[in-house]
Amino acid sequence: MSAPLLCVHDLTVAVQDGAGPRVLLDRISLDLGAGDVLGLVGESGSGKSLLCRALIRLLPSPKLRITGGAVFLEGRDLVTADEREMLKVRGGEIGMIFQNPTSHLDPVMRVGDQIAEGIRYHQGLSQRAARAAAVEILAQVGFADPNRQYNGYPHEFSGGMRQRAMIGVALSSNPKILIADEPTTALDVTIQAQILRLLLDIRDRRGLTVILISHDLGVVAQTCDRIAVMRNGELVEQGDKRSLLAAPQHPYTKALIESHPSMPGEGVATAAIAQPAPALRPLLEIDDLHVRFPSGAGLFAAGPKTISAVKGVSLRIMPGETVGIVGESGSGKSTLARAILGLAPLSSGHISFDGADLGQNRAKALQKLRSEAAMVFQDPFNALNPRLTIGEMVAEVLRVHGKAVADIPARIGELLDLVGLEREFADRKPRSMSGGQCQRAGIARALAVEPRMIIADECVAALDVTIQAQIIDLFRALTARMSLTLLFIAHDLAIVRNLCERVVVMYRGEIVEEGRCADVFARPQHAYTASLIRAIPDIDPDKPLRADLLSPSVAETGSGRVSDQPSAAFNW
Amino acid sequence: AGVLTIGRREDSTTFDPIKTAQNIDFWVFSNVYDVLVRVDKSASKLEPGLAESWTVSEDGLTYTLKLREAKFSDGSPLTAGDAAFSLLRIRDDEGSLWSDSYKVIDTAVASDDRTLVIKLKTPSAPFLSTLAMPGASIISQKGMETLGPDTYAESPVASGAFTVKEWRRGDRVILEKNPNFWEADRVKLDGVEWISVPDDNTRMLNVQAGQLDAAIFVPFSRVAELKKDSNLVVHMDPSTREDHLLINHEKGALAKKEVRQALDMAIDKQAIVDTVTFGLGEVANSFIPKGALYHYAENLQRPFDPEKAKQMLADAGASDLALNYVVRAGDEIVEQTAVLLQQQLAKAGITVNIQKVDPSQEWDMLVAGDYDVGVNYWTNDILDPDQKTTFVVGHDTNMNYMTRYKNDKVKDLVTAARIEMDPAKREAMYIDIQKMAKDDVHWIDLYYSPYINVSRSNIENFDQNPLGRFFLEDTVKN
Amino acid sequence: MHRYRFVLYRPLQFLPVLLGISIITFVLVRLIPGDPARVLLGSRATPAAIANIRAQYGLDEPLWVQYFYFIGNLGQGEMGKSILYKIDVLRLIATRLEPTLALVLSSVAQSILIAVPLAALAARHRTRLPDHAVRIVSTLGIGFPPFWLALMLIILFSVRLGIFPVSGYGGSLTDKLYHLALPSLTVALSLSAVLTRSLRAAMVQALESDVATAARARGMPESIVFWRHVLPNSLVPTVNLLAVNIGWLIGGTVVVESVFALPGLGQLLVRAIFSRDYMVVQGVAMVFACATVLVNFLADIITVALDPRVKL
Amino acid sequence: MAVLGLFLVLAVFAPFIAPYDPIFQDAAARLHAPSPAHPLGTDNFGRDILSRVIWGARIDLQIAVIGVVFPFIIGTTLGTIAGFFGGIVDVIFMRVVDVVLAFPFLVLMLSIIAILGPGLGSFYIAMALVGWVSYARLVRAQILVLKNSDYAVAAISLGFSRSRVMFRHLLPNAAAGSLVFVMSDAVLVLLNGAAISYLGLGVQPPLAEWGVMVADGQSFISTAWWITLFPGLSIVLLAFGFSLLGDALADLMGVHE
Ligand SMILES: Nc1ncnc2c1ncn2[C@@H]1O[C@H](COP(=O)(O)OP(=O)(O)OP(=O)(O)O)[C@@H](O)[C@H]1O
Ligand SMILES: Nc1ncnc2c1ncn2[C@@H]1O[C@H](COP(=O)(O)OP(=O)(O)OP(=O)(O)O)[C@@H](O)[C@H]1O
Ligand SMILES: [Mg+2]
Ligand SMILES: [Mg+2]
Ligand code: NI
């Protein structure tokens, strides 16, 4: 380890709100040498982001104060430095990549200009020189056509591109230390791998010191030299990557390592699931399904263009089956799920549910579908009406589905128990709940329908590994007990491998591979499936990260989530 | 010398004399055009205008007017032909608002350049007075024919003291001295600007700040304050304005004379004068206003006696009288009067429901008889009382000014007075008419009020006669 | 999809809107009881004279016939003749357009000049003294009835101090601006109050947004953060609010026009309504409508220019 | 908030608080300056200004409330329907909105007053005819976004009826922003009322309404300032109260105007 560049010494941050001071960061101390890559892991809310913001004294709210400790950057104490000094430190010496690029990039400014702005300010270059330098940075962070993309606006970029733009902006002021706060959490594995590779590349090229925050131990294991583990505002453990992974001291670290899904723990358990009796008729039949979205037209061009989100998908699902759907972001998984429930326009093809054809007798089929099938939506927070309490929300479903009023409170209680939420959550509104709690409420609501089929769209992505495991167990129990049919969408292959019997791999709107889980994961037929599997970051640092992709364009066209897209007039 | 700037509420609408009946127009173009016969400053007699003399035939049907040497503003001579053209135009033109009043003309011929001969269909005592009406201003036939009526209405060729130099619509009319005016020597001002300043406060502030030389339509409430300012002179020139309460004679109990009389007694006119006009008005006793020809000063003046009124109403079986009182919205004076009357009439047990309506809708309601009472006012256009008398009690086409008043004796007397050429006899007839109308309570006379204008103290001779004409040819700006 | 494509097809949609407005105005003003002929003739009116005038202006025709005349005229670029002023409505409007336009433009300019710095001041010192002061002042600015405010300004600036003319509209350009100072200040005081509040709210949000934080984390000084990131991100709602308000202003300057004796369209319109000068009411209504539509169109263009995410 | 409360109290208990009858004319006490007998002076009819201001609170609160309630209800409902159904319904709706927006308010207001006569009724009708547009636009824009939100889609997927989704799930969320706007709108309504009074078309005399009082008192602005000042201040204070309430609502619901 080289001489420390950054020394954090007993850094303490407290919040001063109604109930008196509360310590959020408790005497954090750590050292960082030049060229080091430090991985900061810990559970959600443990103070990782806060620590980084405290370093550059940009606390999220005036109620938060640094109450003690020191941060030495090459000998200067940043805690006591004056604002003018800090202006130079921020960006110039410590660059920051924020957790959520979408909200941190200026939506009304060209991406290139945002990069050039830092260059001009910190390096005092002329406008023209700054532009050239910005183009150079764009190229460095992997933009295929930097001259054109210089003029793009953030909303025109996919999630992965935005993340790279964010990195570009952070690099623009040529910092010595780069802090990357969960740079890949929102992305799927293949792009995640790309971004991580990019960070390492830059580190190598520029000799940067990096702090990488993640809650995924696998990511950290693949990229860092050293690891620090946080929990409840404390730094519980830190040390060299290998020794820490090999011999964790703190129980929390141990739990983290154990529940990492790349451990092929109970992969065999799937086989143990009750084999459904071969049914005569599939519950859900999809035949050559196409879903197209209008996407406007040029200034003079006549006739609208369309985007094909789902292209010719055919799928047959038997009652009681558990099917996983995987694929990169934007490959059409959610769209397929929505189309099944009649929530996306059906451009051509057939969907029939238990014999009722959605194309022929739409009203009747929809009625049947919506009372016998339920969906858990991808975005846990937004899928809940912010104005209703969880209890009201579930009660409404029960009422509409004809439950006697007297039985409703009891049933709500049962459902909350089922998803592992305390009963007092019946009186909470989504705003006061964490992402994981919202996700479980959404599952409870889906179960309230007493459906024969559940379509679960990324229903564990926002959850901590420990809670993830809990939900998976719930589904497993439900399928076994109530012979529920489950369509499980995820980009996390490990979970699918654990839960599902059958897996469907989607790529750019098509099904590229389909088969029993064990087979597909063991012997992927399609190149894309293979690359997906390879891109899973393994917790074993000696299995290196594989970011080889089909082509760079794949990453760049894969766009963001559905909810990013203000959709054209589509009517249910 | 100098240009006189005068603020007023509204801008002119036209300079075509036959196409307007509004004072805002008349008051400006009576200094732009000249008429054959003029009314003097005190509005007590007619005096020569463009006609330097006239004779009337024995039978009262033929008028021969001798015109003086005069020129139009473009320098062309004003001839009897132009005069005949003007009179026939006001009678015949389809855009004329005044044709009814000039239907009495049978022919108007220029027997030579200086002599105009007018033949009437029937004798008419007020005829000379109608020649003094601004609508009968003399226009240039050649000018009208070459310019066309639309252009002429904006930049007329006229023979008065001033000519229209520029008209910024909605803002101001700029007049300059007319060197061709036959009395050009009399005119001291270089020009006059009539500037529209709709807001009363702003208009007064303009004069107070010295940005205007004068302003007309001074609200009663401002007089006392303006008088205190030594830089200003407040002019209160007698007018022919009379404010009255119209009564719809066809509405239930109002058909009874006693009820109307009771109403008259239930109204404290002095209180109105005090509150609404700030003591500047004068209680009215006849529909022919004070200062107008044949006003009967001794006419009956019923005392304010709410108790008696109440009694009379009870006797007439109308003790729970409820009246629908139409009020013209946007007229402060009328609204204030209504608020006062409502409280006064309540003392006599009469319920008054105020119904505020938009001004031009008020006309419709009055015409349709869709009201019980309402306040209105009248100012004379001509010197002779015939015009108002005919409209108000002469059983003319407008239902006696929408009151639906009917009294055939009055009607006959009005017709007779119109053709009576002996002034003394006429006066007697008009006194009778005033007495009878008062007895019938055709409407309730409320008060007379003066024209109130204000000018800077360096302005002299800024006078208005009771018919509203300004004598700007005499005004001096020091 | 090209973001400015609406510039091409939006004007087509103006047509039905203007047509709708013309029909409503037409029917509405004719529904009002009252008769232009009677207004013209005054108290001396006789039924014959009234009938004569009505015939002259075609008011005796059935309503739909009158409407078709109107539309027909409009097609030929005419709007008929004013009953009260006896000249072409279009000419009449032309003479009155300038003061109103000038008033609206200068008040908008003034209010922007007032609102932007005030909002910035308040937002940057959120919940501290300047913020409270600005918020109180702006609420007061909204609350004063304009005619009262106008009179107070006249009494202070014109009568007491003699800095500005009491009223009127000047001749030369500088004279006009000089005359417009107080009227536009009157309008601007209340307009800027509205704008300030909206802009402050947007700026407070933008100042606390991730975008601003990110810029600060890059070491940008507060001035760059404000001018390059906060301001552009807070303008859009205010631009639209401004557009709506300009729409209101165009049709609602009558009070200020009459207090300051500006010979504008507002006064003309009120006068025309009161005297049932149908053609003029229609004409002015159409002009106002066109102006409003154009202003909104402009606001849309500005919005698209300001915010690349917006599609119309 | 306290301001609004104060006015509410004044309005409700006007008969008990006001020292005089608001329409009683005392010829002996015309244009008296503020004095112990008449704390805010008297007007040109000798009516007590204080009493009139207190009674005026009734009418003006009513104006502000009714003037926004109907537009709010109409606007949010129509906006929800247009935004939700989209397509041709929405296109027609937006054009109607354009027409109303571009229609000169003065023409409408004066026409309605002329047709129905001056007074509160006409004023409310005119406000309702025009005022709904802003709410409708706001709500529609919100609905357009919200109807694609996951929770709306979720509600649909649970088999809820359209009207249930529209009015129970979407509208309450979409209307939050408008509710804040209601407060600033109430101020505008008050001022519109005052402007109408300036043109002489305010409420029927002898009712006491602040706008009318200010307008009527104008003739005395230099001789009896108290006639205009106190009702004018009341308008400002009420406006202030509404703005503060709006701010409080905004903070409460986490929305900014
Ligand atoms: N403005 C604030 N006021 C009060 N507490 C705050 C504030 N911001 C953050 N916190 C608290 O500080 C703690 C640390 O938050 P931080 O964002 O650093 O978590 P994290 O480790 O980055 O979590 P995640 O993995 O979810 O991003 C949390 O308990 C959070 O509730
Ligand atoms: N309403 C819509 N309008 C236009 N395009 C849409 C719409 N919904 C989805 N798309 C596009 O369809 C494609 C598939 O989207 P979908 O949400 O199904 O992807 P996904 O596989 O669920 O991705 P993720 O893993 O990010 O959730 C994407 O390119 C997306 O941009
Ligand atoms: Mg974080
Ligand atoms: Mg998805
Ligand atoms: Ni706020």
Side-chain angles (χ1 to χ4, degrees), chain B residues 119-130:
Chain B
K119 286 213 162 61
L120 301 187
K121 293 174 185 154
T122 54
S124 169
F127 180 68
L128 270 178
S129 289
T130 54

Side-chain angles (χ1 to χ4, degrees), chain B residues 46-161:
Chain B
L46 296 172
E47 55 183 27
L50 286 172
E52 55 187 10
S53 65
W54 53 84
T55 56
V56 186
S57 67
E58 276 304 303
D59 58 2
L61 287 177
T62 309
Y63 286 67
T64 310
L65 293 94
K66 189 84 195 141
L67 270 56
R68 71 176 78 242
E69 290 272 347
K71 281 184 185 151
F72 283 111
S73 50
D74 62 357
S76 61
L78 185 154
T79 66
D82 292 309
F85 172 77
S86 304
L87 291 181
L88 294 179
R89 185 167 179 266
I90 196 171
R91 185 190 70 178
D92 298 333
D93 193 279
E94 70 160 1
S96 169
L97 305 183
W98 296 99
S99 40
D100 286 345
S101 308
Y102 295 84
K103 284 270 155 56
V104 69
I105 299 177
D106 187 22
T107 58
V109 192
S111 59
D112 64 57
D113 267 3
R114 301 262 74 83
T115 314
L116 173 68
V117 181
I118 303 169
K119 286 213 162 61
L120 301 187
K121 293 174 185 154
T122 54
S124 169
F127 180 68
L128 270 178
S129 289
T130 54
L131 289 184
M133 211 272 294
S137 293
I138 303 309
I139 58 179
S140 155
Q141 181 170 10
K142 194 185 88 206
M144 179 60 77
E145 280 163 2
T146 50
L147 295 176
D150 287 353
T151 311
Y152 197 91
E154 297 204 310
S155 47
V157 180
S159 60

Side-chain angles (χ1 to χ4, degrees), chain D residues 225-245:
Chain D
W225 47 269
W226 55 90
I227 303 184
T228 41
L229 183 70
F230 295 113
L233 277 184
S234 307
I235 297 181
V236 173
L237 272 180
L238 188 58
F240 199 53
F242 276 119
S243 304
L244 292 187
L245 186 62

Side-chain angles (χ1 to χ4, degrees), chain A residues 53 56 58 87 90-91 94 96 98 103-109 114 117-118 121-122 153 155 166 169 295-301, chain C residues 1-6 8 209-211 213-222 224 228-230 232-233 305-310:
Chain A
R53 295 181 122 211
I56 51 171
L58 270 185
L87 281 185
R90 291 184 199 133
I94 304 179
M96 182 107 174
F98 286 91
S103 69
H104 284 88
L105 286 172
D106 191 335
V108 304
M109 199 174 189
Q114 298 188 44
E117 184 186 61
Y121 183 75
H122 284 285
Y153 287 99
H155 72 279
M166 190 80 231
V169 172
S295 77
L299 186 56
F300 295 100
Chain C
M1 157 133 185
H2 199 287
R3 292 176 47 240
Y4 287 100
R5 206 169 80 108
F6 73 98
L8 289 181
S209 71
D210 292 343
V211 171
T213 309
R216 288 187 196 113
R218 263 177 273 149
M220 297 297 140
E222 213 44 37
I224 291 194
R228 306 249 348 228
H229 298 282
V230 171
N233 274 294
L306 280 178
D307 190 336
R309 289 167 298 180
V310 177

Side-chain angles (χ1 to χ4, degrees), chain C residues 126 135 200-201 204, chain D residues 246-248 250-251 255-257:
Chain C
R126 183 164 142 76
R135 286 172 67 184
R200 186 200 84 99
V204 163
Chain D
D247 284 352
D251 289 347
V255 269
H256 277 270
E257 312 83 290

Side-chain angles (χ1 to χ4, degrees), chain D residues 3-245:
Chain D
V3 179
L4 285 185
L6 174 73
F7 281 118
L8 206 63
V9 169
L10 286 186
V12 173
F13 298 105
F16 309 107
I17 302 175
Y20 298 89
D21 179 349
I23 61 168
F24 172 74
Q25 306 169 7
D26 180 358
R30 295 177 46 219
L31 297 174
H32 279 194
S35 68
H38 299 281
L40 305 186
T42 61
D43 68 4
N44 53 323
F45 291 105
R47 297 178 294 198
D48 181 51
I49 304 271
L50 177 62
S51 309
R52 287 178 72 72
V53 166
I54 292 173
W55 280 84
R58 264 193 184 191
I59 297 184
D60 281 270
L61 271 182
Q62 189 189 334
I63 288 179
V65 171
I66 300 186
V68 293
V69 164
F70 288 107
F72 180 75
I73 294 174
I74 299 172
T76 48
T77 312
L78 289 182
T80 306
I81 294 173
F84 188 81
F85 286 102
I88 185 77
V89 177
D90 190 42
V91 170
I92 294 176
F93 169 82
M94 282 313 283
R95 296 290 81 79
V96 171
V97 165
D98 284 349
V99 169
V100 177
L101 270 184
F103 196 87
F105 178 66
L106 211 60
V107 174
L108 183 82
M109 188 75 225
L110 295 182
S111 314
I112 289 179
I113 286 178
I115 293 170
L116 300 177
L120 289 178
S122 323
F123 184 70
Y124 294 145
I125 291 180
M127 285 317 298
L129 279 176
V130 175
W132 64 272
V133 189
S134 11
Y135 299 106
R137 268 180 27 143
L138 274 176
V139 168
R140 171 186 167 273
Q142 284 284 308
I143 295 276
L144 279 184
V145 176
L146 292 183
K147 81 166 175 182
N148 288 313
S149 76
D150 285 340
Y151 68 84
V153 177
I156 287 284
S157 83
L158 288 164
F160 294 170
S161 71
R162 285 183 194 202
S163 59
R164 180 177 209 100
V165 176
M166 252 194 284
F167 294 111
R168 224 183 108 74
H169 290 255
L170 294 180
L171 183 57
N173 286 298
S178 319
L179 212 56
V180 175
F181 182 68
V182 161
M183 294 305 142
S184 33
D185 205 29
V187 179
L188 289 182
V189 169
L190 271 182
L191 287 181
N192 269 327
I196 295 297
S197 303
Y198 175 80
L199 295 176
L201 300 170
V203 297
Q204 307 272 11
L207 279 186
E209 190 270 328
W210 298 336
V212 171
M213 290 171 73
V214 179
D216 286 353
Q218 271 200 92
S219 339
F220 307 99
I221 209 151
S222 46
T223 48
W225 47 269
W226 55 90
I227 303 184
T228 41
L229 183 70
F230 295 113
L233 277 184
S234 307
I235 297 181
V236 173
L237 272 180
L238 188 58
F240 199 53
F242 276 119
S243 304
L244 292 187
L245 186 62

